[in-house]
Amino acid sequence: MDPERRSKTLVQLLRETTMADRTVIVSIVDETWASPSGSILDLFLESFHVGQGTKPLLNHLLIVALDTKAFQYCNSIHPHCFYLTNPPQKYTSKKPLLIPHLKYKFLQELIELGYNFVSTDADVMWLRNPFLQINPSKELTIACDFNSALPSMSNKVDEGFFYMKSNAVTMEYFKYWDMARFLYPHYQNQSLCEATVSEDTILGIIELRVEYLDVARFGGFCQQVNNMEEICTMRSNCCENIENKVHDLKLLLDDWRNFTSPSPERTSLKGSFFTWRAPEKCKVITKKFLK
């Protein structure tokens, strides 16, 4: 059967996945990240199963597929999958710059439908419940690394995780988003982290209230985050090669299982013995950025 015909409507899926406060978790993937045999999507879902207090959150996770193969694979492993069948332009993997545009247009639709959301990249491992760290009174709560030694990335590294509240302010933000892409030439290439501290963007104009998450709890491979006692999410950023991402994310989840093992001898060593082995293969990519 045509996957488009099997796809539930967005409204149906939002009703299935929403929390009591009308919040959903959203991750967007294509076939390069969502395929059989140990893909990034597999590891993403696995992290919810091995994380502390994260497994119930799978009921609120909506995975958005950009192509048929990703949608078909998502349907085989997760109950809440949406096929983005009518993007503004036909998506192809050869047009990577379209992905932020498609993502923002989809998130805009959620806001207009009255849903708050957590946007999470699929290469972000959920190790503890991050909702305990989110401030629902602010329009935007975001994980950024402002201390990263990455000059080529303007010292504003996106950790692939943010919460946005649906209200008049965020509706106004998306209303002017398309216009801002033309008014500010580099706006469409900025990460949301960069946009929040840039003086020439609409975020300041519309007075969007922003809360920044602690990088010690919401980390990534760009910086070494060693405190397993506090970590909530970890992203394989500074690692452009998918094979390297998969390798190091597997290491990360193995280390997390060892850390959370209930055996008495391991418990006595926590905080001093346990450290991340990852990034391992991604270190090569990280050094390239650090030059």
Side-chain angles (χ1 to χ4, degrees):
M1 181 182 295
D2 187 330
E4 295 187 25
R5 295 182 180 178
R6 292 192 288 111
S7 178
K8 294 180 181 179
T9 67
L10 178 58
V11 171
Q12 285 177 308
L13 286 164
L14 291 173
R15 288 173 179 169
E16 292 177 4
T17 56
T18 186
M19 300 177 186
D21 64 349
R22 292 179 68 83
T23 298
V24 295
I25 306 167
V26 178
S27 190
I28 300 177
V29 298
D30 64 11
E31 64 180 286
T32 62
W33 282 31
S35 58
S37 304
S39 66
I40 290 175
L41 179 58
D42 291 319
L43 297 171
F44 177 60
L45 296 177
E46 183 180 345
S47 74
F48 282 82
H49 287 278
V50 302
Q52 295 181 345
T54 53
K55 188 174 181 179
L57 296 177
L58 286 169
N59 296 323
H60 307 291
L61 171 62
L62 175 61
I63 297 174
V64 179
L66 293 177
D67 52 65
T68 301
K69 289 184 179 179
F71 178 69
Q72 290 174 335
Y73 185 62
C74 180
N75 270 338
S76 71
I77 59 174
H78 186 67
H80 311 301
C81 304
F82 180 70
Y83 185 24
L84 193 60
T85 56
N86 295 304
Q89 300 181 48
K90 180 64 177 176
Y91 165 78
T92 71
S93 59
K94 295 181 180 179
K95 296 180 180 180
L97 290 178
L98 270 180
I99 296 178
H101 180 63
L102 295 179
K103 179 177 180 178
Y104 267 55
K105 294 301 289 184
F106 178 77
L107 297 179
Q108 178 181 8
E109 188 170 359
L110 299 188
I111 291 293
E112 291 176 347
L113 288 171
Y115 287 91
N116 317 313
F117 63 80
V118 166
S119 173
T120 173
D121 288 354
D123 65 344
V124 175
M125 301 295 101
W126 285 48
L127 304 176
R128 287 189 175 90
N129 187 343
F131 282 94
L132 302 177
Q133 310 299 322
I134 290 174
N135 185 348
S137 68
K138 300 290 181 70
E139 280 82 30
L140 176 65
T141 304
I142 188 167
C144 300
D145 177 14
F146 290 105
N147 299 312
S148 175
L150 301 176
S152 64
M153 301 178 76
S154 303
N155 295 330
K156 305 171 188 70
V157 179
D158 182 359
E159 302 296 357
F161 180 101
F162 68 92
Y163 163 86
M164 188 167 276
K165 184 181 183 68
S166 176
N167 63 16
V169 174
T170 51
M171 288 183 187
E172 194 76 359
Y173 163 71
F174 282 109
K175 176 181 178 181
Y176 288 104
W177 175 70
D178 273 325
M179 181 178 66
R181 291 193 306 136
F182 294 101
L183 291 177
Y184 309 109
H186 302 295
Y187 187 78
Q188 63 180 336
N189 296 324
Q190 282 187 328
S191 71
L192 192 53
C193 286
E194 290 176 300
T196 62
V197 295
S198 177
E199 295 179 356
D200 62 350
T201 69
I202 59 172
L203 294 178
I205 297 172
I206 64 173
E207 298 182 351
L208 191 81
R209 295 173 297 175
V210 181
E211 178 103 352
Y212 295 102
L213 293 163
D214 187 351
V215 71
R217 296 181 184 272
F218 296 83
F221 289 172
C222 290
Q223 72 286 336
Q224 294 296 324
V225 179
N226 294 318
N227 193 344
M228 293 188 180
E229 296 286 355
E230 296 185 359
I231 196 71
C232 289
T233 69
M234 181 76 84
R235 184 190 185 197
S236 61
N237 50 12
C238 291
C239 188
E240 296 178 332
N241 182 283
I242 292 179
E243 289 74 21
N244 289 353
K245 275 182 179 283
V246 169
H247 176 274
D248 280 3
L249 288 175
K250 286 180 178 179
L251 282 184
L252 188 147
L253 291 181
D254 285 344
D255 289 343
W256 179 254
R257 288 190 194 89
N258 288 333
F259 174 73
T260 56
S261 169
S263 60
E265 62 273 17
R266 292 188 182 276
T267 301
S268 65
L269 293 172
K270 286 183 180 179
S272 59
F273 177 78
F274 284 94
T275 58
W276 303 110
R277 288 176 292 168
E280 185 178 86
K281 289 193 173 182
C282 288
K283 283 183 177 179
V284 176
I285 301 299
T286 304
K287 288 178 181 177
K288 282 175 59 181
F289 279 115
L290 289 173
K291 289 181 179 180

